[in-house]
Amino acid sequence: MRQRLSRLDTTLSPYLYVAPFFLLFAVFGLFPLLYTAWVSLHDWNLLGGHTFVGLDNYGALFADPHFWNATGNTVGMFALSTVPQLLLALGIANALHKRMRARTAVRLGILLPNITSVAAVGIVFSLLFANNFGLANWVLGLAGVDPVNWTAEKWSSWSAIAVMVDWRWTGWNALIYLAAMQTIPADLYEAAAIEGASAWRQFWRITVPLLRPTILFTAVIATIGGMQLFAEPLLLASGRIEGGSLRQFQTLSMYIYERAFSRDFDYGYGSAMAWVLFLLILVASMVNFALVRRGSR
Amino acid sequence: MSLRNGPSRRAAVLALVAVTVLGMTAACSRKDDATADGKTKLVIQTFGKPGIDQAVAAFQAAHPDIVVDHQKLGELRDFQPKLVQWLGAGKGAGDVVMLEEGVLLGYLRQPDNFVNLLDHGGGDLKGNFLPWKYQRGLTPDGKKLVGLGTDVGGLAMCYRTDLLAKAGMPTDRAEVARLWPTWEAYRAAGNAFKAKNTGAAWTDSATGVVQPYAMQGGDTIFFGQDNTLIADSNPNVRRTWDYANSLISDGLTAKLTTWSKDWEAGFKKAAFATMPCPAWMTGVIKANAGDEGAGKWDVATIPGGTGNWGGSYFAVPRQSKHPKEAYELAKYLTGKDGQLAVYKEVGAMPSSPQALEDPAFRDSRNEYFGNAPTGRIFADSVRTMRPVFLGARHQEIWESVFMPQLQAVEQGKSTSEAAWKAANAEARGRVG
Amino acid sequence: MSRWVGNEKPARPGRGVGAATRLWQASPLTYLALVLAVVLSAFPIYWTFIVASRSNDAINDVPPPLLPGGHLVDNASRLLANDDALFLYGLANSLVVSLVVASSVVLFSTLAGFAFAKLRFRGRHALLLVIVATMMVPTQLGLIPLYMLMVELGWQGTLQAVIVPFLVTGFGVFMMRQYADAAVPDQLIEAARVDGCSTIRIYWNVVLPALRPAAAVLFLLQFMQTWNEFLWSFVVLDPDTPTVQMSLKALATAYYTDYSQVFAGTAIATVPLLLVFVVFGRQIIGGIMEGAVKQ
């Protein structure tokens, strides 16, 4: 009898433990997901009626230049912000992985951006990147460079947004890397030092390869977040959902919001785009995942 | 790692969770249509600073069987999508909702979401409003009244006396008004100002002159009376476009985007000398310019004499369970007494001609703006304004299509012709 | 690639070959770079407190003011007197919601993470992939149907609506799974099994204590995220049952914002976060998110 109970326990417990997540997800996650898929197959105005149109919305979005513009902006901003962010985080983690005074304070300090309120962040960075009276242009002026109209070009607006995003997340990623670095045994480095390897070489030949799974973990998380950029570009645009006079920095999330909630309330079209965004994120993350599997063998 | 720490902490957390959940369920409040003693409960949802507290209190005093729950839902940009979602879900919207005029226009495309106020006698209220304000609450065919007007913005020209003086121009508001009786004169004055090299621009952005210019220039703007898109063929639109671009090419604007941080800082830094301003903008200017700006600002009539920017309406969503009482509430709040109460509370300009004539409003002055008789100035700007047909998608076509293109030209990213073509193509694409 | 166990102490090479020792001491340049990083990271929060203590038009000053002014009490009292914002009530609600959600997420994530990492059952790989996939769903996708669901359940305007959908998160499960994988030795579990422990006892006595540092970090992260959440609360709650973020937004008036009041509120609203931060922050030293290390 005891044997039977114990075997029941071993077989059933895992399912019981993971059940809460799936139960909640089924109700609060899956239902909205499926509902939105259903909506995306209709010409569905938020305020009016709806008619079934099959895949028309999807066809329409592939022909929509604003959709492609938003997608290009999103991917570009994501790349521009993620790569420096993770590299910088690696560097900071490496710097922190040394003996020094006030370690705790520094480690907590670089996590402060995550608890700073969005309102404060928005205002500080709007002031930083304002055209006429912004701090960034003021500093550039000191260096003899012409002021940059940050919201007017793709490269400048993307850079400004990348700065905002990186500011918020670099410390977070650095601490993840730091934890991973702390599990690398000292003997590896000592052996390399004996052989005369410089700090630089040690970093690239020992630290980074061993950190590969971690790096890709952070890359996946960054992908999920980066493809959904909404708050930062909106702040740069002073709340205007078009993201620049010629949509220079309108992301996909912003365009979805514009069509579904603030322009013509085309809920069906917005839902279709949201599903395409989801698939995009899925693909990008799966690519990362595949690399992880291969890299850690 | 002691074993005692883990489990006991976990137990404490579980206990905390249990207690909090129990506490929550006990404290949670449900929405009821009627209060315990059988009175009718009306929910009115507003954004910004509607200033209706006194008016609501007065209404409740006059209607002892009605209780009004006033929900203040933050800024317009947060409230608007929320309202849309409630309307779409069929639940959650109040009995009376506040619609900003641009928002109202959009909703006019789907008037069935709202109660037709004509059914409750709204037609009788026509004389209580400025003609153009009343007309905007109607669907294009005139058969449905969706909103009753609350406040209006009016339009005048705010200017900096010190900058004009620096350029050797008059600063007394009567004389200043004579500088720009027409828009062409305004442009000429701007060029004269520019020649004096004060370091400031003439105006903040070319986008500010578009609405007043277009509203003075014809009976229609982007849409014809039959709701077809006529932006590319309406001479009014073309003239307005060319005028705004002439200001840009003359170098008269500071190229600021309204509401941006740069724009707010522009007040303090004396970046521009003039700015088309509605009544409510005087408060914004004062807040942004601060104490340093006191005594440096004044108000004069706008070129062309009439204009309006902003204002709201009260509407009754179809999902309301008490449309009749809701109508009464909206009617009171938008009546003469209600609007004067609002004016006294937050300084919002009434849309009722009777209220505008009331000495309480008419004789008011603005201390910050050199004690200008703002009541008179702004009231005059709306009284003779002609009703212009805007169309349900006017706000969208202006704000999301033409305005960004104009800004692109202002930023040097496009030319007047290219932007004109792009704007019209996009408008055509949106409207179909 | 072998696995390192024993993550209690950070690998701290300090002895041994002279060259290695020198490489591990922070140089002045490193100090400088890190100080710069901290200053840049901390500036906006510092600036929040500065603006909270000044008058309204100071917000647009460039270069920005660096010293506190004398208006903090004045701004704060205006804030507390503001009936539209119900600031203190919003603080209390946010506290309840954030505590409950963070606790619940930690509880359920450790359970599920343990199961995925250490227990054998059919479909564990597929289910894990599903969980990760759920993290990729854009938020706007579900806003309206979720709202309709809340109305159906009668939860619109109640705190349940902002708590129940978030009692478990995919990120939490994923993170705990990674950590359990690396930090809980299989041998320990085997030993417990041999001793006749049921799975729940293994969880309670073996796994949980080992997961403590990562659980603390997850609590911190989840608390922060819930505290700062605005969009969903705003859609589903009423202004008379606000969270602290809603209260802050309610301070913004018609056409211009009284920044000094808003920032006084923001500063006060950041204090609980800072407290949780400092309390749990000690856990961040040494061997936190081990879960990110190996798969």
Side-chain angles (χ1 to χ4, degrees):
Chain A
M1 182 59 188
R2 198 123 183 272
Q3 272 252 318
R4 276 252 301 269
L5 269 177
S6 144
R7 212 154 351 132
L8 261 174
D9 170 48
T10 330
T11 30
L12 283 184
S13 312
Y15 295 107
L16 269 168
Y17 294 175
V18 304
F21 175 84
F22 287 104
L23 271 170
L24 276 171
F25 176 69
V27 177
F28 298 108
L30 195 60
F31 163 65
L33 211 69
L34 294 176
Y35 187 88
T36 314
W38 173 245
V39 168
S40 73
L41 298 174
H42 292 71
D43 179 4
W44 191 306
N45 184 300
L46 212 48
L47 298 181
H50 40 94
T51 44
F52 185 80
V53 292
L55 293 173
D56 278 4
N57 282 326
Y58 292 94
L61 66 91
F62 281 116
D64 183 355
H66 291 325
F67 169 77
W68 290 111
N69 175 56
T71 308
N73 290 346
T74 307
V75 173
M77 265 185 256
F78 154 67
L80 191 60
S81 61
T82 307
V83 174
Q85 181 191 144
L86 297 183
L87 284 176
L88 200 58
L90 264 176
I92 293 181
N94 198 42
L96 280 175
H97 190 30
K98 296 190 196 307
R99 283 197 304 190
M100 66 173 66
R101 302 229 278 261
R103 277 174 94 136
T104 323
V106 175
R107 292 175 187 191
L108 291 184
I110 59 175
L111 204 54
L112 279 176
N114 274 108
I115 68 171
T116 312
S117 80
V118 181
V121 175
I123 296 182
V124 170
F125 281 95
S126 305
L127 288 176
L128 184 63
F129 291 113
N131 293 332
N132 299 359
F133 309 111
L135 197 56
N137 279 338
W138 184 70
V139 168
L140 283 177
L142 292 178
V145 179
D146 279 335
V148 174
N149 192 338
W150 294 97
T151 53
E153 311 283 339
K154 287 211 181 212
W155 72 265
S156 56
S157 55
W158 292 10
S159 304
I161 292 169
V163 168
M164 289 169 76
V165 172
D166 290 352
W167 174 83
R168 196 174 191 93
W169 293 103
T170 302
W172 193 82
N173 284 309
L175 286 173
I176 295 185
Y177 292 148
L178 180 62
M181 282 183 191
Q182 285 169 339
T183 62
I184 303 177
D187 358 354
L188 284 181
Y189 293 104
E190 286 170 11
I194 294 176
E195 286 174 34
S198 68
W200 187 249
R201 265 186 90 100
Q202 288 183 29
F203 180 72
W204 286 108
R205 288 307 184 94
I206 303 177
T207 316
V208 173
L210 287 180
L211 237 45
R212 195 104 145 288
T214 314
I215 295 175
L216 286 161
F217 171 78
T218 54
V220 170
I221 303 292
T223 305
I224 297 176
M227 300 286 281
Q228 295 185 55
L229 277 177
F230 183 80
E232 283 84 0
L234 194 61
L235 283 168
L236 189 69
S238 304
R240 299 209 52 89
I241 199 77
E242 290 87 14
S245 56
L246 293 171
R247 297 168 187 268
Q248 292 91 325
F249 52 97
Q250 185 184 50
T251 62
L252 209 40
S253 283
M254 290 165 79
Y255 188 49
I256 293 173
Y257 188 91
E258 182 194 341
R259 295 300 304 257
F261 297 123
S262 83
R263 194 181 100 181
D264 42 2
F265 309 131
D266 194 340
Y267 189 34
Y269 192 59
S271 304
M273 285 197 289
W275 262 93
V276 173
L277 175 60
F278 173 39
L279 292 173
L280 264 171
I281 300 176
L282 203 61
V283 165
S285 308
M286 284 201 321
V287 167
N288 277 331
F289 244 55
L291 288 173
V292 174
R293 296 235 161 256
R294 203 139 28 98
S296 57
R297 283 286 132 75
Chain B
M1 194 89 60
S2 90
L3 284 180
R4 248 186 304 130
N5 264 340
S8 64
R9 184 174 157 277
R10 198 55 53 196
V13 164
L14 278 175
L16 174 69
V17 171
V19 163
T20 334
V21 169
L22 284 172
M24 260 165 31
T25 42
C28 82
S29 59
R30 301 284 224 85
K31 298 293 143 239
D32 288 327
D33 277 331
T35 61
D37 45 6
K39 294 191 190 177
T40 315
K41 181 166 162 212
L42 291 179
V43 172
I44 178 169
Q45 294 169 333
T46 63
F47 60 89
K49 260 209 305 215
I52 56 175
D53 293 340
Q54 304 289 353
V56 164
F59 178 81
Q60 285 190 143
H63 295 83
D65 54 333
I66 301 182
V67 166
V68 177
D69 175 18
H70 179 193
Q71 295 182 351
K72 297 180 196 166
L73 295 172
E75 281 183 51
L76 175 63
R77 91 174 83 180
D78 295 322
F79 172 59
Q80 152 71 347
K82 195 171 176 183
L83 178 60
V84 166
Q85 285 162 26
W86 283 331
L87 291 174
K91 286 185 219 207
D95 298 289
V96 179
V97 295
M98 189 175 179
L99 304 176
E100 197 256 353
E101 61 170 13
V103 166
L104 168 81
L105 279 181
Y107 288 148
L108 283 175
R109 288 172 71 193
Q110 315 276 353
D112 293 332
N113 283 287
F114 297 94
V115 168
N116 183 357
L117 299 175
L118 291 175
D119 295 339
H120 293 271
D124 301 333
L125 301 178
K126 190 167 171 187
N128 292 356
F129 300 96
L130 294 162
W132 57 267
K133 181 80 177 175
Y134 179 82
Q135 184 238 35
R136 281 213 198 144
L138 289 166
T139 53
D141 60 10
K143 294 210 174 78
K144 289 199 173 84
L145 180 65
V146 168
L148 288 174
T150 60
D151 59 332
V152 292
L155 209 58
M157 188 69 80
C158 292
Y159 63 94
R160 280 196 65 126
T161 51
D162 57 336
L163 288 176
L164 286 191
K166 222 164 146 196
M169 295 164 96
T171 58
D172 167 70
R173 66 184 78 92
E175 291 178 34
V176 166
R178 278 197 284 274
L179 276 180
W180 51 60
T182 64
W183 287 103
E184 280 311 313
Y186 178 71
R187 180 182 170 202
N191 279 311
F193 177 83
K194 179 158 177 262
K196 294 289 168 54
N197 280 324
T198 56
W202 183 234
T203 187
D204 59 338
S205 166
T207 56
V209 307
V210 168
Q211 293 265 57
Y213 190 98
M215 300 255 206
Q216 292 169 8
D219 290 327
T220 57
I221 308 185
F222 297 118
F223 293 90
Q225 301 269 8
D226 53 354
N227 240 340
T228 54
L229 181 69
I230 54 171
D232 48 0
S233 55
N234 189 348
N236 191 13
V237 179
R238 183 77 220 200
R239 272 196 308 265
T240 312
W241 181 264
D242 288 337
Y243 178 74
N245 275 284
S246 72
L247 292 183
I248 297 177
S249 55
D250 283 354
L252 298 179
T253 85
K255 305 183 190 177
L256 297 172
T257 311
T258 325
W259 307 117
S260 71
K261 280 274 153 293
D262 246 352
W263 180 81
E264 288 179 5
F267 289 98
K268 244 196 177 166
K269 308 270 174 166
F272 46 87
T274 66
M275 189 186 134
C277 57
W280 47 265
M281 187 67 85
T282 54
V284 177
I285 294 180
K286 180 173 173 192
N288 284 326
D291 294 327
E292 307 162 16
K296 297 196 181 132
W297 286 89
D298 207 329
V299 189
T301 327
I302 194 158
T306 63
N308 181 68
W309 179 1
S312 300
Y313 293 76
F314 281 125
V316 178
R318 170 130 292 168
Q319 32 177 281
S320 162
K321 300 214 169 54
H322 311 284
K324 188 161 160 303
E325 290 83 354
Y327 169 75
E328 290 300 318
L329 177 59
K331 176 178 164 189
Y332 179 78
L333 291 174
T334 57
K336 171 179 172 223
D337 293 329
Q339 291 198 11
L340 277 175
V342 169
Y343 172 69
K344 286 197 181 75
E345 206 172 305
V346 292
M349 189 172 154
S351 59
S352 146
Q354 295 81 9
L356 287 175
E357 288 306 311
D358 188 293
F361 178 80
R362 186 124 180 112
D363 297 334
S364 61
R365 289 177 170 270
N366 192 315
E367 210 186 294
Y368 190 85
F369 283 77
N371 230 15
T374 43
R376 215 171 294 262
I377 297 180
F378 285 114
D380 289 342
S381 75
V382 288
R383 224 163 1 96
T384 51
M385 205 171 103
R386 66 212 280 189
V388 174
F389 180 78
L390 294 180
R393 300 182 75 163
H394 166 89
Q395 196 66 14
E396 176 197 335
I397 297 296
W398 163 235
E399 259 194 52
S400 303
V401 180
F402 278 86
M403 188 168 89
Q405 289 292 345
L406 190 59
Q407 282 174 328
V409 179
E410 204 169 47
Q411 289 168 345
K413 293 210 41 99
S414 183
T415 63
S416 172
E417 270 316 303
W420 171 258
K421 285 201 180 71
N424 276 297
E426 169 144 17
R428 181 65 54 194
R430 285 188 183 218
V431 176
Chain C
M1 210 167 272
S2 53
R3 312 217 324 207
W4 342 112
V5 185
N7 41 49
E8 311 295 313
K9 296 195 316 274
R12 193 92 70 87
R15 27 161 228 266
V17 182
T21 315
R22 246 186 299 121
L23 286 171
W24 289 97
Q25 179 65 39
S27 67
L29 196 60
T30 310
Y31 271 112
L32 191 63
L34 287 176
V35 165
L36 189 64
V38 172
V39 165
L40 287 175
S41 301
F43 179 70
I45 269 197
Y46 174 71
W47 186 77
T48 304
F49 283 90
I50 298 281
V51 176
S53 66
R54 284 184 167 245
S55 59
N56 197 32
D57 51 338
I59 198 166
N60 281 321
D61 286 347
V62 167
L66 290 178
L67 297 170
H71 296 249
L72 183 56
V73 173
D74 172 49
N75 292 335
S77 53
R78 259 187 304 141
L79 167 72
L80 294 178
N82 189 326
D83 277 334
D84 300 337
L86 295 177
F87 187 69
L88 286 178
Y89 188 40
L91 263 182
N93 282 337
S94 279
L95 225 81
V96 166
V97 172
S98 302
L99 277 176
V100 173
V101 169
S103 311
S104 163
V105 164
V106 168
L107 177 67
F108 288 123
S109 298
T110 47
L111 265 175
F114 159 55
F116 274 115
K118 293 292 161 187
L119 300 178
R120 296 212 148 9
F121 56 102
R122 283 249 296 266
R124 57 198 274 228
H125 289 296
L127 286 177
L128 184 64
L129 278 176
V130 171
I131 291 188
V132 175
T134 65
M135 298 200 293
M136 305 175 196
V137 179
T139 29
Q140 296 147 21
L141 209 44
L143 220 50
I144 293 187
L146 198 57
Y147 179 77
M148 286 159 55
L149 192 58
M150 289 300 147
V151 172
E152 282 307 311
L153 290 169
W155 287 355
Q156 190 271 324
T158 66
L159 289 180
Q160 284 96 298
V162 288
I163 291 182
V164 178
F166 310 105
L167 289 175
V168 194
T169 64
F171 178 77
V173 172
F174 191 32
M175 180 179 160
M176 288 297 109
R177 186 240 170 231
Q178 300 293 77
Y179 193 82
D181 204 21
V184 181
D186 289 330
Q187 298 93 307
L188 223 53
I189 299 186
E190 285 311 311
R193 280 242 188 263
V194 163
D195 279 350
C197 285
S198 67
T199 318
I200 192 70
R201 283 206 64 192
I202 295 180
Y203 166 74
W204 199 253
N205 292 351
V206 176
V207 177
L208 260 191
L211 291 178
R212 196 167 62 108
V217 169
L218 180 59
F219 185 89
L220 173 65
L221 292 180
Q222 191 60 52
F223 187 91
M224 272 165 33
Q225 189 183 318
T226 314
W227 186 266
N228 283 328
E229 199 280 323
F230 171 72
L231 187 60
W232 171 243
S233 318
F234 184 67
V235 167
V236 79
L237 293 178
D238 290 326
D240 51 8
T241 322
T243 61
V244 74
Q245 302 298 334
M246 287 167 65
S247 295
L248 288 177
K249 282 280 186 158
L251 293 170
T253 53
Y255 300 105
Y256 68 91
T257 319
D258 183 354
Y259 286 116
S260 49
Q261 210 183 123
V262 170
F263 274 84
T266 309
I268 298 177
T270 312
V271 170
L273 273 186
L274 282 172
L275 280 175
V276 172
F277 194 64
V278 167
V279 165
F280 285 89
R282 294 238 80 212
Q283 303 289 345
I284 299 180
I285 304 165
I288 32 160
M289 308 177 195
E290 285 289 333
V293 179
K294 302 287 177 222
Q295 285 214 262

